[in-house]
Amino acid sequence: MPVELSIAQARAWRAEALGRARDFEEAPGWRTKVQEGPLSVEVLHPPGDHAVVRGEVLLAGPLASLAPAILLDRDASRAWDPTLSRWRVLARCPEEASELVQIDVLTGAHPLVRNRELVFFEATLGGTGVSTIARSQDLPQVPPLDGCRRAFLALAWRRLEPLDDTVLRYRAMWQTDMRGALPRGAVARGQVDAMARELRWFGEKWPAAPAG
């Protein structure tokens, strides 16, 4: 069955995801887990909910080059995201710069842990810099990818913000329910490690000059 994405859906889903992201951004209780110069990773444990992970790093380069490599081109993201091997666009809403997407998530955690896959809405946002906001949608008519169990992406918010003519600040925030009988603590640690690896890769690829 074909999947459609209307303008009304895109606007409502974007507002829902942004509202969730901003609530987490302002929430108390964030704890630093990784601090390496300008690179940092923090975790929040909302009561009765899955852990939220956020991080940031400073990068050097033009926004016009880094935005596609980091945010906008999924083929390019394979260079830094080892968990991604398959993806397809299910529907588009060009008027709202939005898509419905299905991707796999190669967990690699344990031979008995099935790989996951996600079906999510993602919008590209303007303003200062470039950002994307994503959240899973319940679409049972879309069959899971072969060999995968469907997980739930509660939030993925990624931002590239110019600080001056040469330096960008990259920020990311994730909340994922991997589903299945997996210990929440282990999943949270895995998310922190994944965030740190991603930020280190970006920092090595596009290093910003040290302050001073």
Side-chain angles (χ1 to χ4, degrees), residues 3-44:
V3 180
E4 297 182 354
L5 176 59
S6 69
I7 293 175
Q9 281 176 320
R11 290 175 178 171
W13 291 349
R14 179 182 61 195
E16 176 189 28
L18 280 171
R20 187 177 187 86
R22 288 166 179 156
D23 286 345
F24 286 143
E25 189 88 325
E26 297 170 3
W30 286 97
R31 296 185 178 181
T32 299
K33 294 296 184 180
V34 179
Q35 185 69 62
E36 301 171 6
L39 182 159
S40 66
V41 180
E42 299 173 294
V43 65
L44 176 72

Side-chain angles (χ1 to χ4, degrees), residues 129-150:
V130 178
S131 62
T132 61
I133 190 83
R135 179 172 165 82
S136 280
Q137 298 300 323
D138 185 17
L139 295 173
Q141 69 269 38
V142 179
L145 294 171
D146 292 344
C148 295
R149 175 178 184 148
R150 181 153 299 167

